Amino acid sequence: MKNTNKYFSVLRGRITGVYEDWNGPDGAKAQIVKFRGSRYKSFPTIEEAQVWLKDNEADGSEKETLSPKQRRQLQFDKKLEGYRKDDTAIVYCSSGAKHGRHGWGVEIDHPKRNGSYSGGFRMSTPHRMALFAVLRGLEKADGFNRTVIVTDNEFIVKALREGWPSKWRDSNWRKYDRSSPKNVDLWKRILPLYEKIKPVIVLIPTTVMVPGNKRAKLLAAEACKSKNLRNDQGYKPSNNKYQQKSKWKNSNHPLTSAPKYSYSF
């Protein structure tokens, strides 16, 4: 059935273009029904439909060719561009581990003062390396007018945004359940720098790889390969759950101890 009152512009569908009919095998509806990601719009005149299609054609074709990962990459690139100003330092912090060796890497992106820093330890944890990276990044960023810290560690980002370290400090470095926070030695060094510099904390998804973050990851990976790694003095091994289970098994509790048999003849 021909619709003389409207014209349909199909930007994304089986066959794109301007249609005078909505129904029928050659109508606009047949081009968009059950077509994933279809996009169309109706107009009172054919001129308006053609202008809209022409203006959005390039943008539509670009988005159609991008994968979900590429779209997230593009969105994060635009987000970082919003932070870039004359004297803004973007500090990429990353960590890595390989065969019991742990490393951290920091890449500073600044118009005048770029820098690359890395280090590692033999006995540590990936989370401590992420904290070391943020600590070194804050130390090297001291002096910039504005600093943006970029890390893929979600716990660090949430802790700093919600002010957990300052609450721990006010409670004599105790959590709400009166237990001591993990890696408190690093948090005690990070908090004064964070309060002094007041950086913007940005969480980068693990699937997104921008040049600065890629270089920071490479620095951390190279640090893991060093032969002169020393032990992390602040690292405290946690109780192994299998050892704890074995300890319970050897206890005298009637539910966890092995049954004892006595024989009398």
Side-chain angles (χ1 to χ4, degrees):
M1 180 179 178
K2 191 173 182 179
N3 188 343
T4 58
N5 297 325
K6 288 186 179 181
Y7 295 87
F8 305 94
S9 183
V10 178
L11 177 63
R12 195 176 299 123
R14 294 180 178 85
I15 302 178
T16 61
V18 177
Y19 293 83
E20 296 183 7
D21 298 333
W22 173 252
N23 297 313
D26 298 327
K29 184 178 180 180
Q31 314 307 322
I32 61 173
V33 171
K34 295 184 179 180
F35 186 90
R36 187 176 180 180
S38 62
R39 187 181 176 192
Y40 65 97
K41 193 174 182 180
S42 62
F43 297 90
T45 64
I46 191 171
E47 291 79 10
E48 292 180 84
Q50 291 173 343
V51 169
W52 182 83
L53 182 64
K54 184 178 179 180
D55 292 342
N56 293 274
E57 215 163 20
D59 181 59
S61 61
E62 179 185 357
K63 288 183 178 179
E64 190 175 359
T65 58
L66 294 177
S67 64
K69 183 177 179 180
Q70 291 173 328
R71 290 179 187 175
R72 289 193 294 270
Q73 180 85 32
L74 185 62
Q75 290 174 356
F76 192 80
D77 289 341
K78 290 181 178 179
K79 184 177 182 179
L80 285 184
E81 286 299 324
Y83 291 117
R84 295 184 187 276
K85 292 184 180 180
D86 296 335
D87 195 33
T88 299
I90 300 181
V91 183
Y92 299 92
C93 306
S94 186
S95 60
K98 187 175 182 181
H99 304 308
R101 299 169 179 264
H102 299 78
W104 57 267
V106 173
E107 181 70 22
I108 297 180
D109 183 8
H110 186 265
K112 297 180 181 179
R113 281 176 51 193
N114 293 333
S116 301
Y117 311 93
S118 63
F121 296 93
R122 185 178 297 275
M123 293 293 294
S124 190
T125 63
H127 187 67
R128 283 185 65 82
M129 290 301 97
L131 286 170
F132 261 109
V134 173
L135 174 61
R136 295 293 183 247
L138 289 171
E139 290 175 347
K140 300 301 180 181
D142 193 8
F144 294 112
N145 291 338
R146 193 164 183 255
T147 302
V148 178
I149 299 292
V150 180
T151 178
D152 59 359
N153 191 294
E154 189 173 355
F155 178 82
I156 295 177
V157 173
K158 189 173 183 180
L160 291 175
R161 285 179 177 175
E162 298 188 9
W164 293 352
S166 58
K167 295 177 182 177
W168 298 336
R169 181 185 57 189
D170 296 342
S171 301
N172 196 21
W173 294 102
R174 296 286 178 179
K175 297 193 294 185
Y176 68 94
D177 59 355
R178 307 308 299 167
S179 63
S180 178
K182 292 183 178 180
N183 307 311
V184 68
D185 58 320
L186 297 178
W187 283 114
K188 286 181 178 180
R189 298 166 62 185
I190 289 174
L191 185 57
L193 291 170
Y194 178 77
E195 292 177 336
K196 177 183 177 182
I197 299 173
K198 298 180 180 178
V200 178
I201 305 297
V202 176
L203 177 66
I204 180 171
T206 54
T207 56
V208 172
M209 190 65 67
V210 295
N213 188 54
K214 186 176 181 179
R215 288 193 293 270
K217 284 187 176 294
L218 291 175
L219 289 170
E222 289 296 324
C224 294
K225 300 177 183 178
S226 177
K227 297 181 180 179
N228 300 321
L229 295 179
R230 54 191 176 88
N231 292 338
D232 182 4
Q233 299 299 325
Y235 169 64
K236 296 180 181 179
S238 59
N239 294 329
N240 192 307
K241 63 180 180 180
Y242 299 105
Q243 294 178 354
Q244 192 175 15
K245 184 178 180 180
S246 176
K247 181 179 178 182
W248 292 340
K249 185 177 180 180
N250 297 329
S251 66
N252 294 324
H253 195 279
L255 296 179
T256 58
S257 60
K260 297 179 181 179
Y261 301 96
S262 61
Y263 301 92
S264 59
F265 299 96

